[in-house]
Amino acid sequence: MPSLVAPAIPAGSLAVTGHPTLPVGDDALLRPWLLTDAAAVREAFRDPEIQRRHVRRADSVAEAEGWIAAWQAEWEAGAGAHWALVEAGSDALLGRVSLKSFDLQDGTTELAYWTVPAARGRGLCTRAVRVVTRWAMDGWGFHRIELEHATDNHASCRVADKAGFEAEGIRRSAWLEADGRHDAHLHARVRPGT
Ligand SMILES: CC(C)(COP(=O)(O)OP(=O)(O)OC[C@H]1O[C@@H](n2cnc3c(N)ncnc32)[C@H](O)[C@@H]1OP(=O)(O)O)[C@@H](O)C(=O)NCCC(=O)NCCS
């Protein structure tokens, strides 16, 4: 059945380009994940704050490698873009920023992130979110990017506000996590002028 609406982003157009590396100021980079990042991902998940916000544990470097392989496969499939946030020069892992669940027809996607404890509180996550948002909206024509956090995750709410993701409401009891159900606070950024 023919569609009445042309896709916001032509199917397959992202995957035929290489996964980009994006500078985040002078001190950090967003680069594609490498399997050799697995030990650093496993280490990041030893942080109780990161673990608290995720439903899966990384019990071994091999499991973390499996996640990274899945993130890489999403780019190849045109389904998402997952970046390692690393220190410029040393390449030390500082965090993760991801665009998930690409809907190329509607031009929508969902943002997710974490930073390692030593990198927090200096605006790094917010800067990285702004860079990825510009790449997706100005570079590719994504129209709407959603971001959700548990209502008690005030640092994440602050990142969303600072990066221009307006609060849109609360999805009650939306997430089942290890410590029970959580309300999810929905933020979104819509491409200006469209
Ligand atoms: C949320 C997270 C990614 C923020 O990373 P970050 O690099 O510290 O972010 P930024 O420095 O850009 O901004 C953090 C903001 O939150 C504020 N903040 C930190 N802890 C806070 C708290 N407990 N209550 C209120 N605000 C808090 C900081 O003061 C800062 O705001 P400011 O610039 O107005 O001072 C990081 O804390 C993290 O990885 N947490 C664990 C995993 C997680 O929650 N991921 C998000 C899931 S939705």
Side-chain angles (χ1 to χ4, degrees):
M1 203 176 288
S3 173
L4 299 176
V5 182
I9 301 161
S13 54
L14 274 153
V16 296
T17 70
H19 195 311
T21 292
L22 307 171
V24 181
D26 295 333
D27 53 343
L29 291 174
L30 289 156
R31 64 146 170 81
W33 285 99
L34 305 171
L35 289 181
T36 48
D37 294 319
V41 170
R42 165 147 165 70
E43 187 55 35
F45 271 74
R46 290 188 200 273
D47 168 46
E49 279 303 305
I50 291 181
Q51 187 58 75
R52 181 177 166 211
R53 304 301 176 185
H54 291 80
V55 287
R56 287 189 301 170
R57 273 196 342 234
D59 283 339
S60 67
V61 172
E63 282 180 14
E65 276 178 359
W67 290 355
I68 292 171
W71 297 336
Q72 292 170 329
E74 281 199 28
W75 175 266
E76 299 304 326
H82 301 257
W83 285 272
L85 176 62
V86 298
E87 190 172 66
S90 76
D91 202 47
L93 186 67
L94 303 175
R96 171 192 179 214
V97 180
S98 295
L99 290 171
K100 307 183 296 180
S101 308
F102 282 176
D103 183 331
L104 302 183
Q105 176 67 35
D106 287 347
T108 61
T109 178
E110 296 166 21
L111 186 66
Y113 44 70
W114 48 256
T115 52
V116 299
R120 289 182 195 150
R122 51 179 160 108
L124 185 64
C125 188
T126 307
R127 284 196 283 139
V129 166
R130 288 197 187 113
V131 167
V132 164
T133 302
R134 256 197 313 276
W135 174 84
M137 288 190 162
D138 299 348
W140 283 99
F142 278 94
H143 177 70
R144 174 183 165 90
I145 304 177
E146 295 189 351
L147 182 175
E148 287 187 356
H149 61 81
T151 46
D152 64 353
N153 192 343
H154 303 296
S156 186
C157 194
R158 188 76 195 109
V159 169
D161 286 340
K162 287 194 294 178
F165 285 69
E166 284 184 31
E168 294 193 338
I170 291 175
R171 297 201 306 119
R172 290 172 303 148
S173 220
W175 293 341
L176 179 58
E177 297 188 337
D179 59 351
R181 289 222 164 253
H182 288 268
D183 294 347
H185 193 199
L186 172 65
H187 295 246
R189 189 156 162 172
V190 174
R191 197 170 164 212
T194 54

